[in-house]
């Protein structure tokens, strides 16, 4: 299994989503630069404040370390301007104090507004990017073949689309906010410190990397533990989803405590793994705090020692004050950068789980030469078709050859695991043969446009699935633009007319979660109405009456009889009484065709079908 992506890999994978918002991103970057540089520019005004204070007290302002850029700016530009100001009865230096306060307040307002729009834009760009990422992930999952969906755990997949993408949003917001702006703040503070005390600033710079050491050392550990924590969260979500989906079975077997204990076990595994990640984060931040506080103290002490005992470094009280404030700010920003990087590392595990799904190859798209399709004209032919799920259990279908003529009704019978559902799935293009080929009117099925083929195929499953919506929307799922008149005609043909008349809301009746508000027979007839409305000429039936009572089965059989008229039908049958009217019956056993023929012919042959018929009919 691949490890969590590196910081650089994560940025490269998310970069295309940022490029889509490049105008907003450039605006955000400009605002970030203005806000960061402007916020530190106000530190410059500390110098004239200190100068005013010391000058009025009669203290010497002359240092022994020479004039700095900030000294020259203050003495040549700012101080003459302040000395020329007078507001009413207020003469310098009080008028200068008011001017400095007003100027700092005005600049602070401007830069605060820039910071407001920077934060707002950076957060929203993150939200836009993660919305695009979630959409791409969902669209990609829908394109993955049935083999993937049959192997995946639903709760874990939902966790990746929700929790893991949410954690990736935190990564984006850190990248676009703190990790964009904090280095700018650090650089701006460095410039101010350099302008005040260039020699002392050089002495401080060598201590900044000390603050980054914990991230470099503990970041990969945080990343690994984060990935494991997210895996445990996915298992926890899967346990909950499975428990709630099967709530009737849970209650029927009085298994509430057992299921709660299973969930508790998964939950504790998640807590334990998350605790390991949090310990690494806490250690990193504690070491960072020690390095920043201790490092700053050590560096300042060393500089003052050199100034007093070896050679003058500091120019004067004003620049020295600016320098000390700037140094404190530099270490604070360095500490914030390391904290943000810790959180990014913690989010990389979640990003890994998102990228894992995005990296799975989707279904093979149609080739440019794929032919259009408008219905079966003569026949569908299986030619030496073998299909293996790759689970180590051998082929589900083994060297099957079968021709289905247009308008023919074919029944598939046989024991569980014989290959009936696999054959139906191959016709539905949920899978492609491992070897051999399927031809339609002489053309390879894989060379026909998938969308055209599926438009001409209707599936009525054994377990009817309805979306949590109205009857109308469920019926027209295969033909979204159908009007109410077409929907009602399909419902009438599916034996739903009297049922709809008994409902106060008619077609607007909500079916509930997975059709829970309808009986099994009613739900099945809604799926039959859906097939009627789609109007496809190839009908795939997976024993649509096997789980119904006699009265419901009678209504569904009548609906199916209407549906099958004039169509090519391939139907799986568990009750042999439903296949007597089929044109041919294909008996499958261990993935091979054991027998094929009409009901009467197969009874005379005294083979597998004859024995199955005797068992079910009691003869």
């Amino acid at each position: 299994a691949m490890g969590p992506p590196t910081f650089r890999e994560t940025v490269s994978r998310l970069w295309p989503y940022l490029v889509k918002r490049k105008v907003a991103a450039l605006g955000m970057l400009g605002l970030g630069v203005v806000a960061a540089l402007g916020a530190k520019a106000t530190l410059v005004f500390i110098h004239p404040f200190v100068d005013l204070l010391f000058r009025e007290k009669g203290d010497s302002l002359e240092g022994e370390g020479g004039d700095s850029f900030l000294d020259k700016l203050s003495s040549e530009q700012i101080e003459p301007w302040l000395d020329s100001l007078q507001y009413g009865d207020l003469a310098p230096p009080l008028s200068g104090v008011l001017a400095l306060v007003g100027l700092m307040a005005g600049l602070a307002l401007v830069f605060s507004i820039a910071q407001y729009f920077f934060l707002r834009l950076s957060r929203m760009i993150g939200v836009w990017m993660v919305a695009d990422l979630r959409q791409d992930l969902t669209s990609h999952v829908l394109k993955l073949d049935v083999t993937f969906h049959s192997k995946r755990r639903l709760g874990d997949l939902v966790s990746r689309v929700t929790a893991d993408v949410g954690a990736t949003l935190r990564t984006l917001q850190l990248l676009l906010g703190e990790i964009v702006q904090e280095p700018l703040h650090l650089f701006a503070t460095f410039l101010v410190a350099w302008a005040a005390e260039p020699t002392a600033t050089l002495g401080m710079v060598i201590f900044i990397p000390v603050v980054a050491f914990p991230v470099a050392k503990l970041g990969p550990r945080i990343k690994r533990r984060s990935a494991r924590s997210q895996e445990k969260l996915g298992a926890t979500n899967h346990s909950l989803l499975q428990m709630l989906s099967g709530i009737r079975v849970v209650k029927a077997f009085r298994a509430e405590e057992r299921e709660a204990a299973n969930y508790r076990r998964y939950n504790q595994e998640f807590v334990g793994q998350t605790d390991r990640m949090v310990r690494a984060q806490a250690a990193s931040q504690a070491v960072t705090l020690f390095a920043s506080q201790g490092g700053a103290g050590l560096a300042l002490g060393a500089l003052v020692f050199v100034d007093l005992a070896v050679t003058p470094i500091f120019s004067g009280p004003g620049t020295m004050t600016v320098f000390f404030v700037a140094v404190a700010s530099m270490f604070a920003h360095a500490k914030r950068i390391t904290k943000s990087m810790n959180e990014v590392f913690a989010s990389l595990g979640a990003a890994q789980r998102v990228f894992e799904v995005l990296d799975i190859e989707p279904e093979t798209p149609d080739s440019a030469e794929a032919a259009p399709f408008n219905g079966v004209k003569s026949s569908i032919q299986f030619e030496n078709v073998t299909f293996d799920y790759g689970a180590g259990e051998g082929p589900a279908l083994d060297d099957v050859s079968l021709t289905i003529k247009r308008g023919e009704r074919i029944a598939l019978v046989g024991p569980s695991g014989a290959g009936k559902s696999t054959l139906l799935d191959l016709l539905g293009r949920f899978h492609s043969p491992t070897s051999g080929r399927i031809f339609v009117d002489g053309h390879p099925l894989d060379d026909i446009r998938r969308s055209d083929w599926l438009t001409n195929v209707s599936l009525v499953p054994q377990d009817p699935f309805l979306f949590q919506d109205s009857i109308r929307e469920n019926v027209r799922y295969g033909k979204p633009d159908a009007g109410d008149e077409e929907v009602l005609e399909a419902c009438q043909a599916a034996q739903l007319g009297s049922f709809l008349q008994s409902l106060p809301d008619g077609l607007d009746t909500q079916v509930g979660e997975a059709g829970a508000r309808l009986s099994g027979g009613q739900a099945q007839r809604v799926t039959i109405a859906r097939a009627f409305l789609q109007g496809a000429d190839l009908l795939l039936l997976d024993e649509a009456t096997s789980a119904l009572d006699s009265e419901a089965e009678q209504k569904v059989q009548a609906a199916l009889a209407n549906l099958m008229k004039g169509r090519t039908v391939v139907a799986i049958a568990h009750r042999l009484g439903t296949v007597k009217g089929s044109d041919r019956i294909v008996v499958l056993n261990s993935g091979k065709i054991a027998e094929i023929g009409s009901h009467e012919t197969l009874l005379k042959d005294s083979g597998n079908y004859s024995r199955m018929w005797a068992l079910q009919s009691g003869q």
Side-chain angles (χ1 to χ4, degrees):
M2 77 173 193
T6 64
F7 177 76
R8 180 181 294 179
E9 288 169 345
T10 302
V11 171
S12 67
R13 294 295 296 263
L14 296 174
W15 183 256
Y17 295 96
L18 182 62
V19 170
K20 288 175 65 176
R21 312 285 177 179
K22 57 186 176 184
V23 174
L26 289 172
M28 176 205 70
L29 186 60
L31 287 168
V33 170
V34 170
L37 296 180
K40 301 310 171 189
T42 55
L43 293 178
V44 172
F45 295 102
I46 293 175
H47 188 284
F49 266 127
V50 173
D51 281 358
L52 283 172
L53 185 63
F54 274 73
R55 189 167 60 186
E56 290 306 306
K57 290 180 178 289
D59 296 327
S60 172
L61 298 176
E62 293 303 317
E64 299 177 357
D67 289 340
S68 67
F69 171 79
L70 198 55
D71 273 322
K72 293 178 180 178
L73 177 66
S74 182
S75 61
E76 296 175 7
Q77 303 292 332
I78 298 178
E79 288 178 15
W81 172 64
L82 293 176
D83 290 337
S84 68
L85 296 175
Q86 182 168 346
Y87 301 118
D89 295 333
L90 290 178
L94 295 180
S95 58
V97 171
L98 288 180
L100 283 174
V101 169
L103 186 58
M104 290 181 71
L107 289 174
L109 177 62
V110 172
F111 298 137
S112 295
I113 292 172
Q115 180 70 4
Y116 165 80
F117 284 106
F118 167 78
L119 289 175
R120 181 177 171 184
L121 201 53
S122 67
R123 296 295 188 271
M124 285 312 300
I125 289 174
V127 171
W128 294 330
M129 288 173 66
V130 89
D132 290 341
L133 176 61
R134 183 179 285 120
Q135 182 63 51
D136 284 356
L137 181 61
T138 302
S139 299
H140 182 76
V141 166
L142 291 173
K143 292 176 183 176
L144 296 178
D145 60 28
V146 176
T147 303
F148 165 81
H149 288 283
S150 63
K151 292 177 180 177
R152 63 93 176 95
R153 295 190 303 174
L154 182 58
D156 181 68
L157 187 57
V158 170
S159 182
R160 292 179 192 239
V161 178
T162 54
D164 293 339
V165 172
T168 306
L169 171 60
R170 179 61 182 153
T171 303
L172 287 169
Q173 291 181 333
L174 287 167
L175 290 172
L176 296 170
E178 282 81 350
I179 297 176
V180 164
Q181 199 176 42
E182 289 301 326
L184 291 172
H185 277 294
L186 187 63
F187 178 68
T189 312
F190 170 80
L191 290 179
V192 172
W194 176 269
E197 298 286 0
T199 306
T201 301
L202 284 177
M204 287 298 302
V205 167
I206 62 173
F207 288 92
I208 295 292
V210 175
V211 185
F213 173 76
V215 174
K217 188 69 176 174
L218 295 174
R221 188 181 304 175
I222 295 170
K223 183 170 59 175
R224 289 192 302 271
R225 293 179 179 180
S226 167
R228 293 170 190 154
S229 173
Q230 293 299 124
E231 287 173 7
K232 296 301 181 184
L233 178 60
T236 302
N237 288 340
H238 178 69
S239 173
L240 177 63
L241 193 61
Q242 184 170 255
M243 184 196 319
L244 296 178
S245 299
I247 190 66
R248 291 174 180 264
V249 176
V250 171
K251 287 188 171 295
F253 286 91
R254 305 181 305 284
E256 293 94 334
E257 290 299 324
R258 191 193 323 158
E259 290 296 336
N262 284 338
Y263 185 76
R264 189 178 301 111
R265 176 169 58 84
Y266 284 119
N267 223 11
Q268 286 304 314
E269 289 176 356
F270 164 68
V271 170
Q273 195 60 58
T274 303
D275 180 53
R276 296 187 67 201
M277 178 191 71
V278 170
R279 286 205 305 268
Q281 281 182 297
S284 177
Q285 291 185 24
V287 174
T288 298
L289 180 62
F290 173 77
S292 62
Q293 302 295 331
L298 179 63
L300 290 174
L303 291 172
V304 172
F305 180 85
V306 170
D307 186 89
L308 293 175
V310 181
T311 183
I313 295 177
F314 297 106
S315 301
T319 52
M320 186 172 66
T321 304
V322 173
F323 171 75
F324 283 146
V325 173
V327 165
S329 183
M330 283 173 66
F331 274 93
H333 289 303
K335 188 171 66 175
R336 286 195 199 105
I337 292 171
T338 58
K339 181 180 177 182
S340 297
M341 287 303 299
N342 276 331
E343 293 189 46
V344 167
F345 278 123
S347 301
L348 292 183
Q352 169 203 358
R353 286 162 48 80
V354 174
F355 298 154
E356 277 179 354
V357 178
L358 285 172
D359 287 339
I360 298 173
E361 289 294 327
E363 291 177 325
T364 305
D366 291 336
S367 66
E369 294 77 28
F373 179 73
N374 195 30
V376 178
K377 300 297 187 295
S378 60
S379 66
I380 302 169
Q381 185 177 3
F382 284 69
E383 189 176 278
N384 306 114
V385 170
T386 295
F387 182 79
D388 194 328
Y389 287 99
E393 300 173 355
L397 282 181
D398 188 6
D399 197 30
V400 168
S401 294
L402 173 68
T403 299
I404 303 168
K405 296 177 182 177
R406 183 181 185 279
E408 194 174 23
R409 296 186 186 181
I410 299 291
L412 305 176
V413 302
S416 296
K420 304 184 297 295
S421 295
T422 301
L423 194 149
L424 220 62
D425 284 349
L426 289 173
L427 280 173
R429 291 188 73 169
F430 299 133
H431 305 294
S432 295
T434 305
S435 64
R437 303 188 82 176
I438 302 173
F439 294 90
V440 180
D441 300 332
H443 301 286
L445 180 57
D446 288 342
D447 292 345
I448 292 173
R449 288 180 192 164
R450 185 185 299 271
S451 60
D452 288 357
W453 173 256
L454 294 179
T455 299
N456 285 275
V457 175
S458 283
L459 172 66
V460 179
Q462 180 177 353
D463 299 314
F465 179 82
L466 301 181
F467 295 91
Q468 190 172 359
D469 208 330
S470 65
I471 291 177
R472 173 191 292 102
E473 295 307 317
N474 273 284
V475 170
R476 67 180 187 184
Y477 190 74
K479 190 178 179 182
D481 57 347
D484 280 1
E485 188 174 334
E486 292 178 272
V487 173
L488 285 170
E489 286 179 6
C491 290
Q492 289 286 352
Q495 306 291 308
L496 280 171
S498 58
F499 170 64
L500 284 175
Q501 290 175 3
S502 70
L503 298 173
D505 296 329
L507 289 174
D508 292 319
T509 301
Q510 296 294 310
V511 303
E513 181 75 31
R517 294 183 184 176
L518 305 183
S519 70
Q522 291 162 351
Q524 191 62 279
R525 279 180 282 155
V526 171
T527 65
I528 293 172
R530 180 191 294 164
F532 262 115
L533 188 60
Q534 184 180 354
D537 68 349
L538 175 59
L539 187 59
L540 307 179
L541 303 177
D542 188 354
E543 187 53 281
T545 63
S546 63
L548 304 178
D549 58 62
S550 298
E551 183 178 353
E553 180 183 3
Q554 188 176 8
K555 292 180 179 178
V556 171
Q557 288 287 11
L560 287 173
N562 288 339
L563 180 60
M564 290 188 289
K565 289 176 182 175
R567 289 181 166 88
T568 305
V569 180
V570 181
I572 294 175
H574 299 291
R575 297 180 183 177
L576 298 186
T578 64
V579 304
K580 292 171 62 176
S582 300
D583 296 311
R584 282 186 298 161
I585 298 167
V586 178
V587 183
L588 291 166
N589 193 18
S590 299
K592 294 178 176 290
I593 295 179
E595 301 171 58
I596 187 167
S598 66
H599 172 71
E600 291 77 13
T601 303
L602 293 177
L603 284 181
K604 292 177 183 177
D605 289 345
S606 301
N608 290 337
Y609 182 81
S610 179
R611 287 192 293 274
M612 292 166 61
W613 176 265
L615 285 171
Q616 287 196 16
S617 64
Q619 298 174 7

